[in-house]
Amino acid sequence: MLIKKNINHAKYIFWISVLFIWIITTVADRIWWNFYSNTPSWDQADYLNSALDHARALSFLGGDGASSLSSFLDKSPKIPPLASIINGAVIAFAGDAPHEAAWSLSLWNGFFIFNIASWGLYLRGKKFSFFCVLISSFSPFLFHLRTDYVLELPLISAITFYLFHLGRWSDKSIGGKWIQLIIASFACASSLLIKQSSLLVIIPSLLFIFILSFKRDKKFRFQFFCLFLINLLAILPWFYHNWIMILSGTYRAVFESAAIEGDPSILGFKSIFWYFPYLDNQFGSIVFFSGFSGIIFTFITYARSYRSPVRLAVFFNKKNYKWTWIYFNLLTSWTFTTFIPNKDERYISCTIPLIILLLAIGFSKWSDWLDTYFKFKSYGLLLIPPLGFLFSNSINKFNNLENISSKYYPVKDIISIVRSDQTFDEKQTVIVVPSTPTINQHNVSYFGRMQGGNILGRQLGQSLVHIEPVLKYSNWIILAEGDQGSVSSNSLSLDKSIRDSSLFIKVREFPRKKEGSYSLWKRSASPLNQNDFHHRFIELANGMEQGPLGIKLIFDEIEIEHMLDGHLKYQNIVRDKALSEISSNPPNVESLWSLSLLEILSNRPSKADIYLRKLEILLLKNPWPSAYRSIVNLASWNPWKATLIADEAYKRNPNYFLKGLGDMSAIFRGAFWRLASALKSVPNAIESIDEELKTIEK
């Protein structure tokens, strides 16, 4: 009884110590956020906006909330929603100022620290676990993530949770229990619903389990099937609703960004070794040298003592499995990340918990060696991670920045001026021409929506055709004097047109750290032109019956309107008018086109299909209602219906586009015998569309 009491007492001391370390790191983080934090820039403000969107959709911050699951999923068109939901809940409790919203990062950090501590206990015991916790807590890279509002810290926390519990469940000596499977399934789903880059770890780890399942019993294989099915069901609603935006956004982020930023070819020497130099920065020179030298020491000792031939089966036995699991996942996730075209130090985040475990092995080896040969109590080694942090570049993050009391945040004053001119709950859109870390459309939107505000920031100026609509319909504009940031020469032309016109007056200038200033411009006393885009939208929607010509014109004009009116106020006007017309005159073609286009823009393909079906009946000789129906059914994962629609319409109206749609839809539903036909019809359809679009350009 006494022995059991002592064991429990030691266990409580261990977890209290881990809690104390988390509190110390949280205090350091709060010092940063309360006294040194900057205005959130592009990505940071975007993630804050997403958290705010989800908090409002779930009524955490008051309001009506999302009306349906579809409207809720609209809030996360590119990035999975889980991190934003949790961060939004924290915002509702702590406040929506950036330094208050950052409490979510402290909670994610706590989740990570306790998971890495649990993993360390499972692998080698308390001392090893302490090394893991200390390396994690005093890593310069993780400190950077704790003081920068991005999704990498939630991702690292979830990946650590996932790999630990999936490894325990798949460990034959202690695993195979249903409760372990449930926890592992929850952990996997959580990782998937935080960021797509979790797939760099999840795909190879599940492939490992799949291969392993052939050596396990039927119960294990059935459990693995359940794990796969649970995660598929967890991710399906979000992916099903947003799959087009997800795939296109991922393509832009991975491939187009790599090309724009000039990242090296994935097969080049520079690409393969891209992330290795960052390891020193991520953990600090002292910690990395101590851990890495200990790993080499361990390897040499192991090689000298191991005389029998090494066989693959050795790595899968009960004693070695847990380390085989770690080594495999580290190697594969590092390799997968290396071969992603877009490079950035943050993108190696998924491997961080595995590298921490590896460095902790090195620390443990030095500890055992000192204890064995010098009878030296090696608890002093626990001081190396905090000392390493003190001598790292992270301290400069405090030293090189002024105190918050002497800082100036122009975006706050800009929003304050716009709000003072608003009537209660009025929706405003501010056009932002410069694109700098201090002021851009993302952080203007965030500060404009704090505390229940309805001010959105939108950027225009990428094209010369933006000049006339901005001069006609915008009310508030932010310009910059001096360096404009990442804007094009067309933006400079827009800037000059605004200054030279007599339509706007400069309200106030705001100083900048570098040379130049920001300025807020407001439409002068002359009345704002009434934006009657709802009339123009009806005309554009009717243009859909012309096919590609009408579609291009629609999206060219709607793209600009969505910037001028970030709240999309025209849509309710168009919808109400169209529904009213249809109630009195059901076969009203003009209203049916309007409603079809509205549903397509709102990502409601099933609803769009209803209106397009009516147009298909009314316009039997026009192939385009059928073509659009086929497309929206493909978008809603119904290739069987899409094929039927396209094939029947092609019989009535032989059309290059319908033929290509029919073949492509048929392949998606499994009719691979139509592949030969698709190889001819799809390129012909694309070529014909290109020819039609060239007539517009001419």
Side-chain angles (χ1 to χ4, degrees):
M1 186 70 179
L2 181 62
I3 294 174
K4 185 177 180 181
K5 184 176 181 181
N6 289 336
I7 291 172
N8 289 337
H9 183 65
K11 181 180 178 181
Y12 293 143
I13 290 175
F14 171 79
W15 288 113
I16 290 171
S17 301
V18 173
L19 177 63
F20 180 69
I21 293 170
W22 172 64
I23 291 172
I24 290 174
T25 61
T26 302
V27 169
D29 298 347
R30 297 321 303 173
I31 290 172
W32 163 260
W33 280 106
N34 288 312
F35 296 101
Y36 294 90
S37 61
N38 291 310
T39 300
S41 53
W42 295 283
D43 287 351
Q44 293 84 344
D46 211 15
Y47 295 138
L48 282 165
N49 275 312
S50 180
L52 206 56
D53 283 337
H54 287 81
R56 288 184 174 185
L58 292 170
S59 299
F60 292 157
L61 294 175
D64 298 330
S67 58
S68 64
L69 178 61
S70 294
S71 60
F72 177 75
L73 293 174
D74 287 338
K75 308 298 180 185
S76 50
K78 299 176 185 177
I79 300 294
L82 183 60
S84 294
I85 293 170
I86 295 172
N87 295 345
V90 173
I91 284 175
F93 179 77
D96 55 11
H99 70 280
E100 295 170 335
W103 271 108
S104 62
L105 296 174
S106 297
L107 296 179
W108 285 113
N109 180 48
F111 185 54
F112 169 62
I113 286 175
F114 278 87
N115 276 312
I116 204 76
S118 301
W119 207 346
L121 277 178
Y122 163 66
L123 291 172
R124 281 197 173 186
K126 292 175 188 173
K127 185 187 288 188
F128 179 80
S129 182
F130 266 126
F131 282 128
C132 294
V133 170
L134 289 168
I135 294 170
S136 305
S137 300
F138 294 99
S139 160
F141 177 63
L142 289 174
F143 171 72
H144 174 72
L145 294 182
R146 300 198 310 261
T147 53
D148 196 19
Y149 206 97
V150 289
L151 291 184
E152 270 61 34
L153 186 58
L155 177 64
I156 290 173
S157 305
I159 286 295
T160 307
F161 182 51
Y162 160 70
L163 287 176
F164 170 50
H165 286 285
L166 190 67
R168 280 174 58 87
W169 166 72
S170 59
D171 189 342
K172 192 173 183 179
S173 60
I174 63 166
K177 300 178 178 65
W178 280 102
I179 185 63
Q180 292 173 329
L181 174 79
I182 292 170
I183 296 172
S185 301
F186 174 76
C188 186
S190 298
S191 302
L192 284 169
L193 288 170
I194 286 177
K195 202 172 183 183
Q196 292 98 312
S197 52
S198 62
L199 290 170
L200 298 173
V201 173
I202 290 173
I203 290 175
S205 63
L206 291 182
L207 181 61
F208 181 89
I209 300 296
F210 174 72
I211 296 171
L212 190 66
S213 67
F214 290 102
K215 287 194 171 186
R216 299 291 180 87
D217 56 20
K218 291 182 179 179
K219 177 186 174 184
F220 184 87
R221 289 194 288 271
F222 179 68
Q223 286 181 334
F224 178 63
F225 172 76
C226 291
L227 182 146
F228 184 81
L229 185 62
I230 289 169
N231 282 277
L232 189 64
L233 294 175
I235 200 74
L236 188 61
W238 170 73
F239 186 79
Y240 172 79
H241 185 76
N242 293 305
W243 70 275
I244 296 175
M245 289 293 291
I246 293 166
L247 295 181
S248 60
T250 302
Y251 176 80
R252 286 195 299 271
V254 173
F255 297 99
E256 290 186 2
S257 295
I260 293 170
E261 295 167 9
D263 290 323
S265 169
I266 59 173
L267 297 178
F269 182 85
K270 187 177 179 180
S271 175
I272 293 171
F273 290 94
W274 179 274
Y275 290 105
F276 284 98
Y278 289 113
L279 290 173
D280 181 52
N281 295 330
Q282 287 171 331
F283 298 100
S285 300
I286 297 174
V287 170
F288 184 71
F289 174 78
S290 301
F292 188 67
S293 61
I295 293 168
I296 295 175
F297 190 9
T298 303
F299 178 77
I300 293 172
T301 304
Y302 177 80
R304 291 177 62 184
S305 63
Y306 206 92
R307 297 182 181 178
S308 59
V310 177
R311 292 177 297 177
L312 187 62
V314 172
F315 295 99
F316 291 90
N317 66 31
K318 293 181 180 179
K319 292 182 179 179
N320 289 330
Y321 176 78
K322 59 182 69 173
W323 288 105
T324 303
W325 174 249
I326 290 168
Y327 298 145
F328 173 84
N329 283 290
L330 175 58
L331 179 64
T332 53
S333 60
W334 181 280
T335 303
F336 274 44
T337 306
T338 296
F339 286 106
I340 294 296
N342 196 13
K343 308 291 185 185
D344 190 274
E345 183 180 2
R346 284 192 288 132
Y347 300 159
I348 204 69
S349 297
C350 289
T351 64
I352 290 296
L354 298 164
I355 296 172
I356 288 170
L357 295 173
L358 213 59
L359 292 176
I361 293 175
F363 274 84
S364 295
K365 181 61 179 178
W366 283 120
S367 175
D368 294 341
W369 184 75
L370 290 170
D371 188 40
T372 302
Y373 291 98
F374 294 95
K375 305 302 179 184
F376 175 74
K377 294 299 180 183
S378 53
Y379 292 109
L381 292 177
L382 297 173
L383 296 175
I384 290 180
L387 287 174
F389 178 79
L390 292 175
F391 287 100
S392 71
N393 293 330
S394 296
I395 297 300
N396 294 333
K397 196 169 185 179
F398 291 94
N399 296 333
N400 294 341
L401 291 174
E402 302 171 358
N403 190 280
I404 196 170
S405 60
S406 61
K407 281 186 177 181
Y408 181 64
Y409 296 92
V411 68
K412 290 183 178 179
D413 283 344
I414 289 172
I415 295 301
S416 178
I417 292 171
V418 176
R419 277 185 176 173
S420 66
D421 193 67
Q422 277 184 301
T423 57
F424 177 73
D425 204 32
E426 182 183 1
K427 295 179 178 179
Q428 283 281 7
T429 301
V430 179
I431 304 302
V432 186
V433 177
S435 182
T436 68
T438 307
I439 290 186
N440 54 72
Q441 68 271 30
H442 302 298
N443 55 31
V444 167
S445 290
Y446 185 72
F447 281 93
R449 298 168 69 232
M450 283 169 53
Q451 300 174 355
N454 278 316
I455 300 170
L456 293 176
R458 292 291 183 265
Q459 187 176 26
L460 281 171
Q462 296 87 349
S463 170
L464 292 177
V465 299
H466 295 174
I467 294 175
E468 183 181 353
V470 169
L471 294 178
K472 275 187 177 182
Y473 301 117
S474 59
N475 195 31
W476 293 95
I477 303 173
I478 299 174
L479 302 178
E481 292 73 36
D483 181 19
Q484 294 280 324
S486 55
V487 298
S488 64
S489 58
N490 292 333
S491 296
L492 298 176
S493 299
L494 173 60
D495 180 285
K496 187 176 185 302
S497 299
I498 293 165
R499 295 177 191 275
D500 292 345
S501 76
S502 59
L503 300 172
F504 298 91
I505 57 173
K506 185 188 293 186
V507 178
R508 182 176 157 186
E509 281 193 1
F510 306 88
R512 300 168 65 181
K513 283 186 178 180
K514 298 181 180 179
E515 292 183 6
S517 59
Y518 296 110
S519 55
L520 177 64
W521 296 69
K522 185 181 186 298
R523 186 168 290 276
S524 61
S526 59
L528 176 67
N529 290 331
Q530 186 65 37
N531 190 340
D532 56 353
F533 184 75
H534 52 280
H535 296 309
R536 179 61 180 151
F537 181 89
I538 295 170
E539 296 175 15
L540 291 171
N542 280 315
M544 290 177 70
E545 63 185 16
Q546 301 175 32
L549 296 173
I551 292 295
K552 185 179 188 309
L553 187 61
I554 285 168
F555 284 99
D556 284 348
E557 293 200 30
I558 285 178
E559 180 185 21
I560 298 174
E561 177 61 23
H562 285 191
M563 295 294 106
L564 291 169
D565 174 18
H567 297 280
L568 313 183
K569 290 178 278 190
Y570 75 89
Q571 292 191 353
N572 287 333
I573 299 173
V574 172
R575 182 174 281 105
D576 291 344
K577 182 178 180 181
L579 290 173
S580 176
E581 292 285 346
I582 285 178
S583 65
S584 58
N585 181 22
N588 188 303
V589 172
E590 184 179 79
S591 297
L592 289 170
W593 279 121
S594 296
L595 290 170
S596 299
L597 181 55
L598 280 176
E599 300 300 346
I600 291 170
L601 293 174
S602 302
N603 191 19
R604 301 293 185 273
S606 298
K607 291 184 178 179
D609 180 59
I610 295 171
Y611 298 117
L612 289 169
R613 170 59 180 158
K614 294 178 180 179
L615 286 165
E616 191 179 37
I617 295 170
L618 292 170
L619 305 173
L620 283 173
K621 294 183 179 180
N622 190 319
W624 294 110
S626 300
Y628 300 139
R629 279 195 74 203
S630 183
I631 292 171
V632 298
N633 277 282
L634 268 179
S636 58
W637 294 19
N638 194 346
W640 299 270
K641 187 175 180 180
T643 306
L644 182 64
I645 293 167
D647 288 346
E648 289 184 354
Y650 182 73
K651 293 174 184 176
R652 296 194 307 269
N653 300 296
N655 177 283
Y656 58 87
F657 197 69
L658 287 171
K659 176 61 176 171
L661 275 174
D663 289 337
M664 189 170 61
S665 302
I667 292 171
F668 282 135
R669 68 176 174 83
F672 298 112
W673 55 87
R674 293 183 63 170
L675 182 60
S677 177
L679 291 174
K680 295 180 180 179
S681 63
V682 173
N684 288 339
I686 294 172
E687 184 180 351
S688 301
I689 291 172
D690 287 340
E691 289 297 323
E692 284 194 41
L693 294 179
K694 284 178 183 177
T695 61
I696 299 179
E697 295 173 2
K698 292 176 182 178

